[in-house]
Amino acid sequence: MKARIQVLACKACTEMPQLLDMDDLMNVASERELVVSSMLVDRVCDPKIIKRVVAEASERDVDRVLVLACQKKDVNPGLLAAYKRAGVNEFMVEYINLRDEVILPHISDKERAQAKAETKAVAGLERLLMLQPLEKAEEVMRTKNVVILGGGVAGRKAAEVAAAEGAHTIIIEKSGSSHKTPGVIMPNSTLLGAKGYGGNFVLSIKAGEKVEELECAAVVVATGGGWAELKGPLAKAFKSAVPLYRLHEQMQTGAVPKGPVVIVDSPDPAGKTLAVQDFAWDDTLELAIDLKKQQPLEEVYVVFQEMRAFGLSELAYKDAAELGVRFIRYDRAAGPKIDPKEPTKLTVKDLAQAEVLTIPIGTLAFAAIPANKDNIGIATALRIPMSPEGGVRRGSIQRWPVSTPRPGVFVCGSAMFPKSKDMAEAEGEAAGLMAGKFVMKGVIEYGGVVAEVAQEKCSACLTCVRTCPYDAPYIGSAGKVEIRIQACQGCGMCAGICPSKAIELRGSTDDQIAQETRTMLGGDF
Amino acid sequence: MIVAKRKPMAEIAEMVAPYKTVKVIGCRSCVAICLAGGEKEVKMLVSALRLKAKKEGRKQEFEGLVVERQCEKEWVEEVEGKILDSDLVLSMACSLGAQTIGDMYPKKIVFPALNTGIFGVPEEQGVWSEKCVGCGNCIIHTTGGICPIARCAKSMLNGPCGGSSNGKCEVNLEVDCAWYAIHERLKLQNRLDLIEQVSPPKDWSTSHSGGRRVYVRDDAKLTQHQKKGKEAVR
Ligand code: SF4
Ligand code: SF4
Ligand code: SF4
Ligand code: SF4
């Protein structure tokens, strides 16, 4: 059968239609052979629009789709589900991330942006033609267990919600615990490792002196994150300094911090090791506004090397500035200092005015805090990635705020980064619900984009076995590598590193990538 | 296993520049496993050489091939046609592979793309450390299973020297002292008495300085008769 392609483009964000000539882009795409439907819509994620788009796809007998919008994980999964229902193989829907790859990098260069968008669209169409439909298979989950790591506010809430969904919950708690929660609590226990994959994990748990194996279908990471004590010269000089999230907690209980309040990004401004965590900027703005509203007459100083306010946060920045919050930007070479002999004053060279300011301190808080090594242990045991902040990394803030990139592993609360109690509890609720629903499906879907081994080429060098983050490859009975497809997440690392080129990723083979690259470069190379 | 490293790109490019038809031949065994000369490395080198030739306006043809084990004639014969058809063979096997091709086709020019290095053990993904130098007269039954020839900077037979401190070697403080490790291992095994025994000078005639070494397993060798038979069926 000849390919029948639908091209779908989104103009939801303000920048895209401003920067790009969307009609031109659509023309370039729809002029290509085999494109039978092209639609430029207001918002690809809108369920009503999805309905319309997919109806047209059905009508025109479309069998593959090019989506010009955002990255796949940010687009409403309902779109893919609708295509699936309409009989389009889910692996024949290709997403081109125009926002991150075209709009943001070329925001000030209309011409380049247009050219790149068109090239990417055409390359995507070429790739689509080389795609094969892939199928998924199902495996039954052996248990309905949801293991929750950590019995704090977030963990307990997650247990409660997951249990209400019908899951069996088991809380693994580092210390002894007396809190009441549904399900089982294993006190004095820690996670050592995890075999298997989402839906059918076997965890090894150290319970007291014993090591036990525990089957479960899903895991919720709800550890406190164990954010380390404040270190660094500023924290040393000003003894009662607190992390920002602590200050937030104190204010929620009605406490009124002593003014002036100084928020510095890091307790060690000259240090190299401590990166300012992503969340620090937003949290600081929010808190500064609260402080100003609480005590309009007290000064609030925000002393940061750099202040970033993305998207809507810009409004928060504006509000804060209007309320009189003072922003001071510094250079690491002349960062803020506190003389331990006179710890009520902070001196810093303001970059904007190029002069040294002396600021009185009533309360001192730090937005960036060093993470504890505990997180690394958990991330390693579960094979989930860490964020640059030193916490567990979540999926995408828009669509997967309490998921990790690993199916069946969810995360909430301070395991990601330090949070206030109410926030942690809200996330616990969400993670519990996700885990509960995941487990109650009772089956795992697997396959599709997974690694495939040409055994005759395999040198049994073990490189893929050592590299795969999910333990999917193993040496089979023939002495060559085989893939546990249920575990494979299609990350492609094995295919990239295999020295014998024995592995290819289905749906992303060398030929497909070469074809795409060739199109982009506009010729052979 | 044998561990090798690819030569710097500039060196390789200069070596191959005068030749028109270049066959880059890798090996699926040791050098594939140590990520230096398997199919992937061959493909990457071929693309890089192609790009460079194109950029510098040279008309050269590169083709990448891989054989199972380049140090074995039978495997090399699989690509005989390609070798005969070349101006240059750039071997991405260890030097054994390169020399095998050279010995089989003496008129053909064979260059190495790799620097053959050590007998190494993968300590972790991507890290190989030398544990044996192939001295030909193994003594590790007396040294707690640790080879002082390979692992001691001075290849001492009766160590440690006076420079061992805190388990590190005086020659390079990043490196563990082999004799300290031997001491610790023997202590663990309750065999510390061995460290007090003086080892006499070693018989180095088996070592490399005597010229090329050949290892023969008579029991594995084919008889003349068998050889003839094999040749007949070829
Ligand atoms: S990396 Fe490649 S050659 Fe090595 S074991 Fe895996 S499949 Fe085989
Ligand atoms: S693609 Fe390869 S490395 Fe990635 S999960 Fe699958 S088997 Fe593991
Ligand atoms: S030529 Fe032989 S010794 Fe050299 S890397 Fe290949 S298999 Fe190993
Ligand atoms: S310090 Fe140890 S390893 Fe180094 S030369 Fe002396 S005995 Fe050898």
Side-chain angles (χ1 to χ4, degrees):
Chain A
M1 192 185 97
K2 267 214 162 161
R4 297 179 64 81
I5 304 175
Q6 179 175 54
V7 177
L8 174 60
C10 176
K11 50 176 180 178
C13 52
T14 28
E15 293 89 356
M16 187 116 68
Q18 267 172 22
L19 189 66
L20 296 178
D21 185 331
M22 295 301 280
D23 293 326
D24 243 20
L25 178 61
M26 290 309 281
N27 282 341
V28 169
S30 54
E31 269 168 17
R32 305 281 297 192
E33 217 190 332
L34 308 174
V35 174
V36 295
S37 153
S38 65
M39 297 178 84
L40 176 61
V41 299
D42 286 338
R43 220 165 73 84
V44 155
C45 295
D46 182 335
K48 275 196 225 111
I49 291 182
I50 291 180
K51 220 166 151 191
R52 214 178 73 217
V53 163
V54 177
E56 162 146 336
S58 289
E59 201 173 295
R60 308 249 168 135
D61 214 7
V62 159
D63 71 343
R64 51 199 91 193
V65 182
L66 187 72
V67 185
L68 302 165
C70 297
Q71 59 177 334
K72 183 175 174 181
K73 66 176 183 180
D74 286 344
V75 176
N76 186 349
L79 178 68
L80 202 56
Y83 276 124
K84 253 162 87 177
R85 283 195 300 274
V88 178
N89 185 280
E90 63 176 301
F91 298 101
M92 309 275 268
V93 181
E94 185 71 13
Y95 292 78
I96 305 276
N97 184 357
L98 285 186
R99 190 178 55 194
D100 290 344
E101 291 174 16
V102 175
I103 308 297
L104 293 180
H106 304 297
I107 195 92
S108 52
D109 189 343
K110 251 183 144 119
E111 229 167 275
R112 287 253 356 238
Q114 186 74 20
K116 187 164 171 189
E118 287 175 8
T119 314
K120 286 196 76 79
V122 173
L125 287 170
E126 286 290 334
R127 209 177 111 80
L128 260 186
L129 291 179
M130 298 189 70
L131 290 184
Q132 297 290 333
L134 299 174
E135 294 309 327
K136 281 197 167 177
E138 286 190 348
E139 181 180 297
V140 174
M141 295 183 191
R142 289 189 296 264
T143 78
K144 287 192 177 9
N145 289 351
V146 172
V147 166
I148 294 145
L149 305 174
V153 255
R156 292 201 304 274
K157 191 74 192 174
E160 187 189 311
V161 176
E165 287 294 310
H168 306 149
T169 59
I170 302 154
I171 294 184
I172 308 289
E173 172 54 43
K174 209 160 64 172
S175 57
S177 172
S178 57
H179 287 287
K180 265 211 155 61
T181 32
V184 182
I185 296 194
M186 289 173 72
N188 307 315
S189 328
T190 44
L191 175 75
L192 296 178
K195 277 191 264 175
Y197 32 83
N200 282 321
F201 281 117
V202 181
L203 307 183
S204 79
I205 310 268
K206 188 157 184 277
E209 291 307 303
K210 280 187 299 181
V211 174
E212 284 178 26
E213 292 219 318
L214 181 61
E215 283 202 330
C216 71
V219 180
V220 176
V221 184
T223 44
W227 297 85
E229 288 309 300
L230 294 173
K231 284 197 191 108
L234 297 189
K236 225 170 158 184
F238 194 88
K239 295 274 183 284
S240 57
V242 286
L244 195 70
Y245 74 102
R246 266 290 141 67
L247 188 60
H248 185 197
E249 271 173 14
Q250 288 168 6
M251 284 173 64
Q252 276 177 326
T253 61
V256 179
K258 182 166 173 258
V261 180
V262 182
I263 306 171
V264 186
D265 48 2
S266 161
D268 182 15
K272 288 198 185 90
T273 44
L274 186 61
V276 172
Q277 291 110 334
D278 253 2
F279 54 84
W281 292 296
D282 282 0
D283 287 3
T284 302
L285 289 174
E286 215 174 281
L287 196 81
I289 293 173
D290 287 352
L291 281 163
K292 264 296 184 192
K293 285 190 178 153
Q294 196 187 42
Q295 315 176 68
L297 295 180
E298 282 293 358
E299 291 287 7
V300 176
Y301 296 95
V302 173
V303 184
F304 270 46
Q305 234 181 95
E306 163 180 49
M307 186 70 191
R308 292 191 208 161
F310 296 115
L312 291 179
S313 309
E314 250 179 83
L315 294 176
Y317 183 85
K318 189 169 151 271
D319 287 350
E322 280 170 5
L323 284 168
V325 173
R326 300 189 182 231
F327 292 95
I328 297 164
R329 211 153 68 83
Y330 70 85
D331 184 72
R332 186 142 83 195
K337 285 192 188 66
I338 300 175
D339 182 352
K341 281 185 227 116
E342 220 180 337
T344 48
K345 279 186 199 141
L346 178 134
T347 55
V348 60
K349 186 170 170 195
D350 179 16
L351 264 189
Q353 301 174 37
E355 79 183 69
V356 178
L357 307 177
T358 303
I359 302 170
I361 317 173
T363 301
L364 181 63
F366 301 110
I369 15 193
N372 187 302
K373 297 214 168 61
D374 278 5
N375 284 327
I376 303 177
I378 287 169
T380 316
L382 287 171
R383 297 201 175 73
I384 47 177
M386 312 259 305
S387 61
E389 298 77 82
V392 169
R393 199 175 87 200
R394 62 169 148 211
S396 119
I397 179 77
Q398 287 124 301
R399 302 235 171 254
W400 312 105
V402 293
S403 300
T404 67
R406 191 164 194 197
V409 181
F410 304 91
V411 56
C412 55
S414 297
M416 287 183 254
F417 48 80
K419 292 209 179 86
S420 57
K421 286 206 173 70
D422 56 341
M423 191 67 191
E425 191 166 19
E427 285 183 359
E429 188 175 344
L433 191 67
M434 294 284 286
K437 292 225 182 290
F438 179 84
V439 169
M440 295 313 288
K441 270 201 311 202
V443 287
I444 318 159
E445 272 202 336
Y446 64 92
V449 174
V450 289
E452 200 165 29
V453 182
Q455 287 201 336
E456 69 283 3
K457 284 180 146 195
C458 169
S459 308
C461 70
L462 296 169
T463 306
C464 57
V465 177
R466 293 184 188 126
T467 302
C468 172
Y470 304 102
D471 256 355
Y474 63 99
I475 302 284
S477 51
K480 303 277 179 166
V481 156
E482 291 175 25
I483 306 284
R484 274 181 208 96
I485 306 179
Q486 294 90 326
C488 175
Q489 301 302 313
C491 73
M493 286 182 64
C494 57
I497 202 166
C498 170
S500 299
K501 299 229 46 104
I503 310 185
E504 282 212 303
L505 198 64
R506 283 193 205 152
S508 203
T509 61
D510 278 8
D511 285 350
Q512 287 163 350
I513 294 167
Q515 179 62 39
E516 203 180 341
T517 319
R518 227 172 269 140
T519 318
M520 279 200 265
L521 294 183
D524 219 339
F525 57 91
Chain B
M1 70 172 139
I2 292 177
V3 182
K5 244 192 216 161
R6 206 195 69 198
K7 285 177 178 289
M9 193 51 208
E11 189 184 338
I12 299 178
E14 198 188 318
M15 279 199 291
V16 304
Y19 301 91
K20 200 173 156 285
T21 314
V22 182
K23 306 288 174 191
V24 182
I25 310 183
C27 173
R28 285 195 192 283
S29 297
C30 328
V31 293
I33 291 166
C34 70
L35 317 182
E39 183 169 335
K40 176 183 169 194
E41 299 294 330
V42 167
K43 286 197 163 152
M44 278 171 31
L45 183 60
V46 165
S47 315
L49 288 171
R50 253 186 219 145
L51 277 177
K52 194 150 170 76
K54 196 164 180 181
K55 212 171 132 205
E56 290 167 6
R58 272 193 307 278
K59 282 221 158 15
Q60 283 180 289
E61 273 169 36
F62 296 95
E63 186 180 5
L65 306 157
V66 240
V67 296
E68 189 64 34
R69 280 190 295 282
Q70 214 179 94
C71 52
E72 293 186 307
K73 296 196 182 76
E74 291 85 340
W75 294 115
V76 173
E77 274 166 3
E78 287 196 339
V79 293
E80 183 168 87
K82 302 277 188 185
I83 293 174
L84 293 176
D85 188 30
S86 69
D87 299 326
L88 175 73
V89 172
L90 182 62
S91 168
M92 283 200 95
C94 74
S95 170
L96 302 183
Q99 293 185 48
T100 304
I101 299 182
D103 290 345
M104 287 171 72
Y105 311 100
K107 281 195 183 151
K108 288 290 157 192
I109 303 171
V110 185
F111 285 172
L114 305 186
N115 289 324
T116 307
I118 53 176
F119 296 160
V121 172
E123 298 286 359
E124 58 182 276
Q125 180 82 303
V127 176
W128 295 268
S129 71
E130 182 170 31
K131 298 249 161 108
C132 168
V133 292
C135 77
N137 186 5
C138 194
I139 53 159
I140 66 171
H141 54 300
T142 65
T143 55
I146 292 165
C147 170
I149 317 280
R151 288 163 72 171
C152 162
K154 298 170 190 164
S155 294
M156 295 180 75
L157 286 176
N158 295 289
C161 73
S164 176
S165 81
N166 296 324
K168 296 290 172 192
C169 168
E170 68 169 353
V171 173
N172 180 350
L173 285 178
E174 310 249 297
V175 171
D176 293 331
C177 166
W179 275 101
Y180 176 80
I182 292 171
H183 179 272
E184 293 301 293
R185 183 77 63 81
L186 289 174
K187 192 160 96 189
L188 202 69
Q189 299 175 348
N190 276 327
R191 300 202 296 156
L192 257 189
D193 52 311
L194 276 175
I195 212 152
E196 301 205 339
Q197 281 173 26
V198 174
S199 298
K202 191 164 157 17
D203 174 8
W204 288 103
S205 68
T206 52
S207 177
H208 179 245
S209 30
R212 184 163 81 139
R213 289 171 289 171
V214 181
Y215 278 42
V216 181
R217 271 273 296 265
D218 275 324
D219 58 343
K221 273 181 74 176
L222 300 185
T223 62
Q224 284 303 329
H225 183 70
Q226 283 170 317
K227 274 187 196 159
K228 286 233 170 77
K230 279 290 240 187
E231 268 158 30
V233 295
R234 279 182 128 196

